[in-house]
Amino acid sequence: MTSEPNQTFSVRPEAPADYAAIHTLVTAAFGREDEAKLVRLLRNDADAYVPDLTLVAEEAGEIIGHIMLTNAMLQGEEDWRVLALGPLSVTPERQRTGAGIALTEAALELADARGEPLVVLLGHPAYYPRFGFEPARGRGITPPSEEMPDPAFMVKVLSNYEERYRGRFEYAPAFDQV
Ligand SMILES: CC(C)(COP(=O)(O)OP(=O)(O)OC[C@H]1O[C@@H](n2cnc3c(N)ncnc32)[C@H](O)[C@@H]1OP(=O)(O)O)[C@@H](O)C(=O)NCCC(=O)NCCS
């Protein structure tokens, strides 16, 4: 995986030895335990978990960031397996130093290289457009719940995207369990 020349951290897939540190980091990033529990539930769901697309940023032996892309469904004229992004977490002391961007770019690059068609997320509308995320409804992709505000429900289309990939997006079941 590539790193910027003056970047002080490296990005790599998570490993079992990282799980405890990731739990602490995700809890600290969100200021509550829900997202850390979600990470654990997703990891334990073999249909959802994609180990190659679950990455950490490591600096001097410490895990400072974590990102997960998991399997999800798009239900339209057919059911297509697509990806969901999240949670994305950077430890509070190291936020705004590029780790979130590096993790997101690395995960999206790997997803594209695997031939995945698209990635959906619910997130900050000011943060994700820099990676090519756009409002999902504009591509005919609707959220699983009407409570999800339009600007925050976004999609990034990858090289293997086709226009017929339209329909209702469904996260892995773990997202409803926290
Ligand atoms: C959101 C988060 C992942 C960003 O990661 P980060 O490593 O702090 O951010 P980076 O250094 O990679 O990126 C910095 C850029 O992102 C912007 N940014 C950071 N956090 C942001 C936020 N919450 N909303 C909008 N923009 C944000 C910065 O303004 C900066 O933009 P600029 O370069 O135009 O000035 C991180 O702050 C975090 O873990 N937050 C708490 C958990 C969370 O909200 N996760 C995302 C859920 S969608």
Side-chain angles (χ1 to χ4, degrees):
M1 240 160 268
T2 52
S3 302
E4 294 297 318
N6 53 1
Q7 201 169 281
T8 55
F9 52 84
S10 55
V11 173
R12 61 164 174 82
E14 70 171 17
D18 306 320
Y19 293 172
I22 290 166
H23 190 92
T24 305
L25 148 72
V26 177
T27 304
F30 284 89
R32 58 180 195 182
E33 218 182 348
D34 297 34
E35 286 76 11
K37 286 184 182 156
L38 175 58
V39 166
R40 213 162 48 199
L41 287 169
L42 286 167
R43 200 185 273 136
N44 289 334
D45 176 350
D47 291 332
Y49 185 46
V50 188
D52 295 351
L53 299 181
T54 306
L55 309 177
V56 292
E58 183 176 30
E59 184 176 58
E62 192 191 336
I63 306 296
I64 62 157
H66 181 258
I67 191 169
M68 259 185 140
L69 300 191
T70 52
N71 290 323
M73 292 299 288
L74 186 60
Q75 299 169 330
E77 61 184 42
E78 291 170 39
D79 283 355
W80 296 285
R81 196 192 52 73
V82 297
L83 290 172
L85 188 154
L88 166 63
S89 320
V90 175
T91 202
E93 302 76 47
R94 302 296 282 115
Q95 284 178 8
R96 308 207 170 209
T97 63
I101 288 175
L103 282 164
T104 307
E105 284 179 345
L108 293 173
E109 234 170 77
L110 289 167
D112 200 31
R114 285 165 56 101
E116 303 285 347
L118 59 88
V119 182
V120 167
L121 62 79
L122 185 68
H124 302 297
Y127 187 65
Y128 291 99
R130 75 189 69 214
F131 307 107
F133 282 91
E134 57 184 298
R137 234 179 245 280
R139 295 271 183 180
I141 296 173
T142 54
S145 150
E146 289 308 318
E147 284 160 34
M148 292 187 182
D150 267 358
F153 185 67
M154 291 177 268
V155 65
K156 176 173 168 75
V157 302
L158 301 173
S159 313
N160 267 358
Y161 168 76
E162 293 176 29
E163 273 188 20
R164 65 193 179 103
Y165 296 154
R166 307 164 79 82
R168 187 167 181 272
F169 178 79
E170 278 294 340
Y171 279 105
F175 281 87
D176 292 326
Q177 291 166 22
V178 288

